[in-house]
Amino acid sequence: MSAQTRSTAEIEERVRVIVGEVLWVAADDIEPGTQLIDYGLDSPTAIELTIQLEQAFAIEIPEDVAAQLNTVAEIVEYVRGES
């Protein structure tokens, strides 16, 4: 299912699941506005997170953009804009 046919809530839920898998945090514990570094995001996990998001949503996230996506809410907004 493309991001175009998904609601913002569905995209947010999928992003939270991906973030949780990459950072080993329960998806239900991830708040949309909390900085991902607060959940343990570092450079290697940022790369893995970007790859997982690109695959899940069939989009490309440039490095400079990925570096600016610091919360689930920001990722959701980007994914919605790319679809």
Side-chain angles (χ1 to χ4, degrees), residues 38-52:
D38 292 344
Y39 297 114
L41 185 75
D42 57 16
S43 293
T45 54
I47 293 167
E48 178 62 23
L49 179 58
T50 301
I51 292 167
Q52 294 296 325

Side-chain angles (χ1 to χ4, degrees), residues 1-62:
M1 179 181 298
S2 75
Q4 288 179 326
T5 58
R6 294 182 179 183
S7 71
T8 299
E10 290 172 319
I11 293 171
E12 181 180 309
E13 181 58 28
R14 184 68 184 127
V15 169
R16 288 172 62 207
V17 167
I18 294 167
V19 168
E21 290 172 353
V22 172
L23 300 179
W24 295 79
V25 176
D28 291 340
D29 292 341
I30 298 170
E31 294 295 325
T34 300
Q35 297 288 310
L36 295 178
I37 59 170
D38 292 344
Y39 297 114
L41 185 75
D42 57 16
S43 293
T45 54
I47 293 167
E48 178 62 23
L49 179 58
T50 301
I51 292 167
Q52 294 296 325
L53 291 167
E54 288 176 333
Q55 291 175 347
F57 296 106
I59 59 174
E60 188 171 323
I61 306 172

